[in-house]
Amino acid sequence: MTSRDVHDVLNIPSDHSGVGRPSKKQKSSAIRPNLKGLAREVQNLSGDNPIAIVPEVSFFKKRRLASRKPATKWELKPFTNSARGDDGALVLRHWRRKTEDGPPADVDSQPGENEAEGSSVTKVEKPEDSAFAKFNVHVQIPQYTDDQYHSNLQSSTWTKEETDYLLELAKDYDLRWAIIWDRYDFQPKGASGDFTDGSNALVPAGEPRTMEDLKARYYEISAKMMAVQTPVQYMNRSEFELFEMVQKFDPEQEKRRKQFALNTMARNKDEAREEESLLLEVKRIVARTERFNEERRELYNRLDYPATETDINSFKSSAGLQNLLQTLMTSDKAKKQRKQAMGPGDVASPSSAVPTSAVSETHANRRESIAASAVSNHHRADSDARTPATPAEPTPTSATAPAANKKKGAPQPERRKLTQQEEQIYGVSYHDRLGSGPTFRYEKINKLYSHKSGQQQLRITNVLSELGIPPRLVMPTAQVTAQFELLWTAVTSLVDLRKVNDRLDGEIKIEEAKKAERDKVRGVVVSPATPATNGTGDKEEGGAETNGEGGKDQQKTDQDKKRPGSSGGSSHKRSASVLSSVSDKSAKRQKK
Amino acid sequence: MSQQPLSSAIQPTDVYGGDEVSAIVLDPGYSYTRAGFAGEEMPKQVIPSFYGHVNGSDLFGDNVMTMEPRAGFEVRNYMNRDGVVEDWDAATKSWEYVLLKRLQPPRPTPINKNGLNVNDDGDVAMDEGANGESVDEFEKPLFDTPLLMTEAPWNSTKAREKSIEIAMENWGTPGFWLGRNPVLSSFAAGKATALVVDVGGALTSVTAVHDGMVLKRSIQKSPAGGAWLSSQIRSMWENSDPKVKVVPRFMVENKKPVEAGAPAEARLKTFDFPITDSYRAYEEERVVKEFKESVVEVWRGPGRFCVPGSEEYVRNQPGRVFEMPDGYNQMWREQRYRVSEGMWDSEAAYAPLSNDEARLTKAQTIPSIIKASLDGVDVDLRPALLGNVVVTGSTSLLNGFNDRLNVELAALFPGVKIRIHAAGLTSERRFGAWIGGSILASLGTFHQMWISKKEYEENGAGIVEKRCK
């Protein structure tokens, strides 16, 4: 519905409607053919309505001074720097914003008035201090008086003048050791004093100090002066830490570290890469062993099931078994939450304790049979006796065993504490860890041998046979093996000592022979017998000494053993001396 | 958003701890003397350290050095090949020329001396009598500007004292400081700890700087610098198949274009007075310098230039043409690498033409002096120094110099990380020490370091040894 329709309806003759409409149409149709190419496409897109192209509002640069205030005034202001040592003699000038004569912080004062004032007022007050003066910091250098030096700081390698010089440099260069060492050039004063003509050719040039020398001396002084100023017990924490650190300086270690750094710098890329890969390898190996150990520990925890003294009668009925299953499941759940193996101190809840221990009885039996425990034997006999009577019994145990295995470490059940006496009677012993499977005690002894070289094994067996002890124990009870181990270690140490002694003897002889040669060369008239006899005397002395030691050792082991039937101390002494003299002979032979 | 111009109300110097006191920085070197105001990024005035001497008077500045030859015009230098001032009279005059004539506007003559008040005789006389002393004080040319001068790190005590004497007595500066070139160069690179390799006009020096201090035991210098390179080029020209004659530009009246390698066709000027040797040498040096700048390159490696293969390789690469002032021109290929190779490999160097030109020994090549320099430094510092190698000096602008230096250092110190810091801008490389001095003298914390006039008067010239360590 357009206005024309309204006009039609209302019969209002529109004055220019007849002209206007066609002309409009013509206009639009007239424009169209003129357009070509892209322009036509664009027009087609929009239809008859022209596309509005709104020009972007362009901003021009703002006026430089938004405020109409006149430009700020600056002035060339004099200033001094209080960090200088010359009491403000140097007055420099820099440009600063002009302020009123009041506080310099007041920057936003009216510049117009200022100008008039600033030009008329002449500066009479002291120029301001530089803002940078506060950055001037100094290091703390230990101070000492002459008396303090003489009482505390004397050194055989350092004169007081040189120490003073060192501290002076340390202060000048703010403890930058690289520079101190670089500039260190101490000329002893006495030299320049004595030779006034300036020639100090006669003065021996002192050995150049290394940086470690300088540091060591400085730290020594600072540690001592710290201790003098505040005795060690009165130092506060930070002071004491500093004191300790200063005291600990080790020039030798520092030298080694620098040597190491030098080597590291010299190594080329391939070497560095190789080292890196080796390090990686080591890390991997360590990680692997750790994981392995972890797994093994877990395994042990699983295997480690305690014994029990309660009987299993309560589980012999089906109702009892049901009950057992229930408690097992609950304890399993609880276990999962706790995960970690419980220590012996942890007490399991009494409700679960009884059945668990009952179930694991078979495992316990196995383990304790290894330990040849009388108690468990008794129990096993018990259970064995009962097994045929109740054929249902093995099934639940075998069924529950894997379930129990799943748990990570069972809690130690309550166990009757055995007294010392009982332990001895029953032969109960506690071990850190036992190897899997049965072992023989004499294997342990064999293991000891296997670490030694063949020759040493021979020597040890020789000694043992001299003592009348068979290399393989006839009755290896626990006590006997323990004592045998003690004896064995004593014998090995004896053999080792003897070896060292032999070697030293040999060296002494060689040195003496050398000395004799030298004497001969020098032409000093020495009877050839004298040095030789001296040597033998020495040697015998040494031999006797070892004998004594060996004998003592032997006696000690004897006392330790307190074993009836072992041969007397004197015979040991004899045997040891025989052995050592034999070895002396062998040494002689070697020398020849 | 358009950026607003910086308001004059903000003090820009607060940003970096600067505090400008309009100090002047003067950096005399073997080839050039630079001077300018602290806080600016380039020296305002750069004049040759060479000066002309004619009829008993000295002429300074680059404009006199490039003039047509004159009878009896000699060229001299106030510095010696070690970068140390040799002729103090000429040095003073030269510095005065650059500081007072070139750097500062001419001052108005004081009222009592300008001749306008001659009529009033009595008054003038009374004024002079009353405060002649203070007038004198303010007549000294640098009475209100502190002066920072640079020096070679091996400068002698006497020379240092002489320079503070001149600055204080002749120019009346309120504050003075002597900075060592390597320290300032490392400051210009923004580092307080650096190994500075300065390949300058007369010398190559390597110095370790730790916390803004020169390590004296690490100072190494060798003649392998610009002058040595020039002599290598002259040797090469002498030895090449058609001998290359050097005709300085001032002698050429006109020339015709010729084929490459063909003899030059140029008419030479004749002078009715003898040309001094020093002037001719200076002019020839300018030709050599142009050759250096446009043709010579450094073999980048890997390996040395003299290993078999690399020379053949270069022969097949496009070369560079150089035309002498008289029109002679030639393509240069492998020779342009060969001339600079002596810096790295003493066996590759050409034999010098005359005996007074020293041959570089093996210990004087650049890698050797760097190694020697580091050997004089504590082990703990070496990695830090090699991680901050600052290359400066205009001869280091040779194409490929940094690449080669990197290769050589990596071969010398395989286990250490090496970082070379060389300014990209030509001017920063040329004026490294000056720029460092400009930074230093405009720092707020530096103003406590100046040797003030009072301190100088109390302690004498010896104070410079105590303070400028």
Side-chain angles (χ1 to χ4, degrees), chain A residues 35 38-55:
Chain A
L35 292 171
L38 192 67
R40 199 190 59 217
E41 298 297 331
V42 172
Q43 202 183 26
N44 283 347
L45 271 180
S46 61
D48 287 341
N49 306 324
I51 300 169
I53 298 169
V54 183

Side-chain angles (χ1 to χ4, degrees), chain A residues 171-366:
Chain A
K171 192 173 177 193
D172 281 356
Y173 296 117
D174 291 341
L175 284 179
R176 292 185 184 97
W177 287 106
I179 299 172
I180 294 171
W181 173 73
D182 184 68
R183 306 288 171 91
Y184 195 87
D185 181 24
F186 179 69
Q187 303 290 344
K189 232 191 191 140
S192 54
D194 291 344
F195 305 94
T196 39
D197 54 349
S199 75
N200 47 1
L202 287 176
V203 179
E207 204 169 285
R209 302 266 187 205
T210 64
M211 190 188 280
E212 284 72 36
D213 291 343
L214 302 180
K215 277 188 183 172
R217 178 64 174 162
Y218 178 81
Y219 290 139
E220 182 197 346
I221 288 170
S222 38
K224 281 182 177 165
M225 290 318 293
M226 275 174 86
V228 165
Q229 272 153 15
T230 14
V232 180
Q233 59 267 33
Y234 296 121
M235 283 184 186
N236 63 28
R237 196 178 172 76
S238 63
E239 271 176 347
F240 185 71
E241 270 166 14
L242 186 67
F243 177 71
E244 264 203 324
M245 203 162 69
V246 165
Q247 234 182 358
K248 265 185 203 153
F249 181 76
D250 180 7
E252 286 308 313
Q253 191 193 350
E254 194 74 349
K255 257 176 220 169
R256 280 198 300 275
R257 184 182 66 78
K258 282 193 178 158
Q259 191 56 44
F260 181 76
L262 207 61
N263 289 340
T264 319
M265 265 176 66
R267 83 187 169 177
N268 62 30
K269 237 169 220 160
D270 288 340
E271 285 165 351
R273 208 174 297 133
E274 193 184 333
E275 204 177 301
E276 213 161 273
S277 70
L278 280 180
L279 274 177
L280 253 172
E281 195 67 24
V282 165
K283 229 179 249 173
R284 203 177 300 142
I285 288 169
V286 167
R288 202 182 298 149
T289 49
E290 231 160 58
R291 210 179 54 217
F292 182 68
N293 283 343
E294 187 65 33
E295 280 171 3
R296 190 150 63 175
R297 205 173 307 130
E298 207 173 291
L299 195 66
Y300 282 136
N301 282 340
R302 279 189 197 178
L303 290 175
D304 202 12
Y305 276 98
T308 175
E309 287 105 41
T310 53
D311 58 6
I312 54 166
N313 281 333
S314 53
F315 307 121
K316 285 188 176 162
S317 61
S318 64
L321 279 175
Q322 195 65 33
N323 190 19
L324 172 70
L325 204 62
Q326 285 282 323
T327 47
L328 268 179
M329 270 159 76
T330 52
S331 72
D332 201 18
K333 260 182 212 161
K335 209 68 55 57
K336 259 175 199 161
Q337 278 160 7
R338 272 186 281 175
K339 285 255 162 90
Q340 273 302 325
M342 295 294 138
D346 283 61
V347 180
S349 61
S351 64
S352 67
V354 178
T356 317
S357 51
V359 165
S360 57
E361 195 191 31
T362 43
H363 300 271
N365 283 346
R366 204 173 67 202

